[in-house]
Amino acid sequence: MDDITGLVLAGGRGTRMGGVDKGLLPFRGLPLAQHALQRLAPQVGSCMVNANRHLERYAAFGVPVYPDSLADYAGPLAGFLCGLAHCSTPWLLTVPCDTPLFPHDLAQRLARAAAAENAEIAFAAAPEIDAQGHTRWRDQPVFCLLQASLRPSLLRYTAEGGRKIDAWARAQRCISVAFDQPGDDARAFANANTPQELHALENAR
């Protein structure tokens, strides 16, 4: 656990939420990002937040807050790069602020799989039902455990204009880890991109 630093990604534009700072929207009595932070903190040695607005409000959560070094809301990889720049442990674990029900054993399961496969990056993968009612697996690349030593590679990729997590990650030793154990919450990786989705998650039991 002490080898992993946790990072809550809260630096997006919140476009589908009407441009609001999504991480500060209320969820069961707490801001979304704080809820994610409290869920992540017991799983890792230390935590930080990546945010680009209202930094003083995020700082009130009690952990370091860092903005993107890339301009113009460059997406999750900008958050990854921010986290790696401030990570003092061998591994960084990223989680988005808008998926508040992610597994309590996320770090453990990703780390175990990475060690077993000698991987540099481990994504979570979860089942979802498509329009035809078929179950298919989908990577959740923002739920990412990655080696801190990958920072030079990510710096090069983003400096060349790259912004796709998958495209960069698949050039490394990368694995997908299926979250398909008995008792896993089917909503664990459901995210709130719209007010309606947030309301549905808040009322899920």
Side-chain angles (χ1 to χ4, degrees), residues 8-25:
V8 176
L9 300 167
R13 293 182 187 273
T15 304
R16 284 179 282 181
M17 284 286 190
V20 301
D21 195 340
K22 191 190 296 187
L24 297 176
L25 291 175

Side-chain angles (χ1 to χ4, degrees), residues 55-127:
L55 302 189
E56 71 290 345
R57 292 185 62 185
Y58 285 105
F61 298 169
V63 299
V65 181
Y66 302 107
D68 292 346
S69 58
L70 299 177
D72 300 323
Y73 295 89
L77 276 185
F80 284 28
L81 198 57
C82 169
L84 290 173
H86 299 282
C87 181
S88 59
T89 58
W91 294 87
L92 177 73
L93 174 60
T94 67
V95 301
C97 68
D98 62 356
T99 310
L101 304 179
F102 64 84
H104 291 286
D105 58 353
L106 176 74
Q108 181 185 63
R109 289 162 71 174
L110 291 179
R112 184 185 298 129
E117 300 291 334
N118 190 31
E120 297 171 306
I121 297 175
F123 290 153

